[in-house]
Amino acid sequence: MKQHMQTFIHLLSKGDNDALLNHYLTSAESENIVQLAHLFQEGISMLASFDFYQKIATTLIESKCLPSALIAQIKTNDTLSFFTPALQLKDNFKQTDHQQRNALHYLLAGNKLVESIPPFIYLRSMMLFGSNETLRDGLCQRDYQNLTPIEVYLFSHQNLTTLPPHELTALLALIEIESKQQTIDTTNDQPIIQAVAKLYRSQGQELNRESQRLVLIAIYFKRPIQVIINEMS
């Protein structure tokens, strides 16, 4: 174990918050990522202490800034849940990394190692019941490929399983929220259509009018489903 982590864990175990904060502030960003990852792992391994470790992580991030490399690690429901208070600080939902992606881009892109469903209900609830203007702004940001987080989901999320009704309803609400904030870029439909066609073929799945991802693309871009199917062939 590297020295910076030995010191970090020692100060954490002592409950010396001032020294812990100072150590975090003087550590390099790459070291901060490892330190925050340790707090995350401790938090999810001991649920009774989840809030304790979450508050420490939030305080540390607030004291410095959101590490750019952390943005790409927000890929699962657990990471989103743990780091939500930190993301709600200082417009952190809008912070981007070297690929111009924010945390929502990575979350909706999915984790290739885990077949999961993005937490659409969780995001919709935050937008409806919290003060999350920056979350709405983050939903509209475009990455290096000119894709919004929802477009990234349509474009690359590998889980083609039909969404449960409650998650589908939440996603449709997020699409409506985005459409009210900005005009949909219709030039993105062809890259997404071709990428999804390739994804379906690679998984040996049939393309038809009932394929939910195709239906979502049709809804998002406001185009007839049959036209989209024809363009995939």
Side-chain angles (χ1 to χ4, degrees):
M1 182 181 294
K2 293 186 177 181
Q3 183 60 49
H4 77 89
M5 280 307 300
Q6 291 180 0
T7 302
F8 185 85
I9 293 172
H10 172 68
L11 295 173
L12 184 63
S13 65
K14 285 181 60 180
D16 192 338
N17 294 335
D18 291 339
L20 185 71
L21 175 59
N22 184 65
H23 177 64
Y24 181 86
L25 290 171
T26 56
S27 297
E29 180 174 310
S30 59
E31 295 171 339
N32 290 156
I33 293 296
V34 179
Q35 292 158 357
L36 293 170
H38 175 76
L39 294 174
F40 168 71
Q41 292 298 334
E42 291 296 304
I44 63 170
S45 64
M46 296 184 291
L47 294 181
S49 300
F50 182 91
D51 289 346
F52 171 77
Y53 288 107
Q54 183 186 60
K55 287 177 182 177
I56 293 175
T58 303
T59 298
L60 295 179
I61 291 173
E62 184 177 23
S63 69
K64 200 170 186 179
C65 63
L66 181 71
S68 177
L70 180 64
I71 295 172
Q73 303 307 313
I74 311 296
K75 296 179 179 179
T76 66
N77 296 7
D78 285 342
T79 51
L80 176 64
S81 177
F82 186 81
F83 290 108
T84 287
L87 289 170
Q88 290 175 313
L89 298 170
K90 302 178 182 177
D91 291 346
N92 282 339
F93 267 115
K94 294 169 57 178
Q95 293 299 313
T96 58
D97 65 1
H98 65 287
Q99 296 194 88
Q100 296 177 255
R101 286 190 165 187
N102 61 40
L104 296 178
H105 282 103
Y106 287 103
L107 181 69
L108 299 192
N111 184 349
K112 293 181 180 179
L113 300 178
V114 180
E115 186 175 280
S116 60
I117 297 173
F120 296 120
I121 291 179
Y122 186 89
L123 294 175
R124 177 175 176 266
S125 296
M126 281 200 292
M127 290 188 187
L128 292 179
F129 304 115
S131 179
N132 287 289
E133 291 80 7
T134 60
L135 180 57
R136 287 192 292 273
D137 292 343
L139 193 69
C140 296
Q141 283 180 300
R142 298 189 177 278
D143 68 1
Y144 70 107
Q145 294 177 297
N146 194 43
L147 300 175
T148 68
I150 290 176
E151 289 172 341
V152 166
Y153 168 75
L154 298 174
F155 179 79
S156 63
H157 201 288
Q158 295 193 23
N159 187 356
L160 297 173
T161 304
T162 300
L163 293 172
H166 53 291
E167 292 287 0
L168 175 60
T169 299
L171 173 55
L172 293 175
L174 293 177
I175 291 175
E176 182 179 2
I177 290 170
E178 181 189 335
S179 67
K180 288 181 178 179
Q181 303 299 313
Q182 66 182 4
T183 302
I184 300 299
D185 188 343
T186 56
T187 63
N188 284 342
D189 64 348
Q190 286 305 311
I192 291 176
I193 288 170
Q194 297 308 315
V196 172
K198 183 177 179 181
L199 188 58
Y200 267 85
R201 294 187 187 107
S202 69
Q203 296 186 17
Q205 297 202 37
E206 182 182 358
L207 291 164
N208 56 54
R209 295 175 63 89
E210 282 71 47
S211 301
Q212 191 182 79
R213 187 70 64 86
L214 303 192
V215 173
L216 287 169
I217 292 173
I219 292 172
Y220 185 87
F221 288 105
K222 297 179 173 60
R223 299 187 62 199
I225 182 68
Q226 190 58 52
V227 172
I228 290 175
I229 292 175
N230 292 342
E231 292 176 353
M232 285 184 163
S233 59

Short mmCIF file of all heavy atoms in Angstrom, two decimals, residues 15 85 109 125 150 165 168 192 196:
data_model
loop_
_atom_site.label_atom_id
_atom_site.label_comp_id
_atom_site.label_asym_id
_atom_site.label_seq_id
_atom_site.Cartn_x
_atom_site.Cartn_y
_atom_site.Cartn_z
N GLY A 15 -10.05 9.45 13.36
CA GLY A 15 -11.12 10.44 13.39
C GLY A 15 -10.59 11.86 13.42
O GLY A 15 -11.29 12.79 13.85
N PRO A 85 -24.48 13.60 -3.33
CA PRO A 85 -24.33 14.88 -2.61
C PRO A 85 -23.15 15.70 -3.13
O PRO A 85 -23.24 16.94 -3.20
CB PRO A 85 -24.09 14.43 -1.16
CG PRO A 85 -24.74 13.09 -1.07
CD PRO A 85 -24.49 12.45 -2.41
N ALA A 109 -24.16 5.62 -20.35
CA ALA A 109 -23.41 4.77 -21.29
C ALA A 109 -23.40 3.34 -20.80
O ALA A 109 -23.34 2.40 -21.58
CB ALA A 109 -21.99 5.29 -21.47
N SER A 125 -36.59 11.64 -10.34
CA SER A 125 -37.03 12.09 -9.01
C SER A 125 -36.20 13.28 -8.54
O SER A 125 -36.74 14.24 -7.99
CB SER A 125 -36.93 10.95 -8.00
OG SER A 125 -37.80 9.90 -8.34
N ILE A 150 -28.65 11.15 -22.87
CA ILE A 150 -29.68 10.24 -23.36
C ILE A 150 -29.29 9.67 -24.72
O ILE A 150 -29.50 8.48 -25.00
CB ILE A 150 -31.05 10.95 -23.44
CG1 ILE A 150 -31.58 11.21 -22.02
CG2 ILE A 150 -32.06 10.11 -24.23
CD1 ILE A 150 -32.87 11.99 -21.98
N PRO A 165 -41.68 -1.15 -16.98
CA PRO A 165 -42.57 -0.02 -17.25
C PRO A 165 -42.23 1.25 -16.46
O PRO A 165 -42.27 2.36 -17.02
CB PRO A 165 -43.95 -0.57 -16.85
CG PRO A 165 -43.83 -2.04 -17.07
CD PRO A 165 -42.42 -2.40 -16.69
N LEU A 168 -39.10 2.82 -17.90
CA LEU A 168 -39.40 3.37 -19.22
C LEU A 168 -40.14 4.69 -19.09
O LEU A 168 -39.82 5.67 -19.79
CB LEU A 168 -40.26 2.37 -20.01
CG LEU A 168 -40.77 2.87 -21.38
CD1 LEU A 168 -39.62 3.21 -22.30
CD2 LEU A 168 -41.68 1.81 -22.00
N ILE A 192 -26.53 7.10 -34.55
CA ILE A 192 -27.17 6.29 -33.51
C ILE A 192 -27.87 5.09 -34.12
O ILE A 192 -27.75 3.96 -33.62
CB ILE A 192 -28.15 7.15 -32.67
CG1 ILE A 192 -27.37 8.16 -31.82
CG2 ILE A 192 -29.02 6.26 -31.78
CD1 ILE A 192 -28.24 9.12 -31.04
N VAL A 196 -26.81 1.23 -33.26
CA VAL A 196 -27.77 0.32 -32.63
C VAL A 196 -28.03 -0.90 -33.52
O VAL A 196 -28.18 -2.02 -33.02
CB VAL A 196 -29.08 1.06 -32.29
CG1 VAL A 196 -30.15 0.09 -31.81
CG2 VAL A 196 -28.81 2.11 -31.22
#
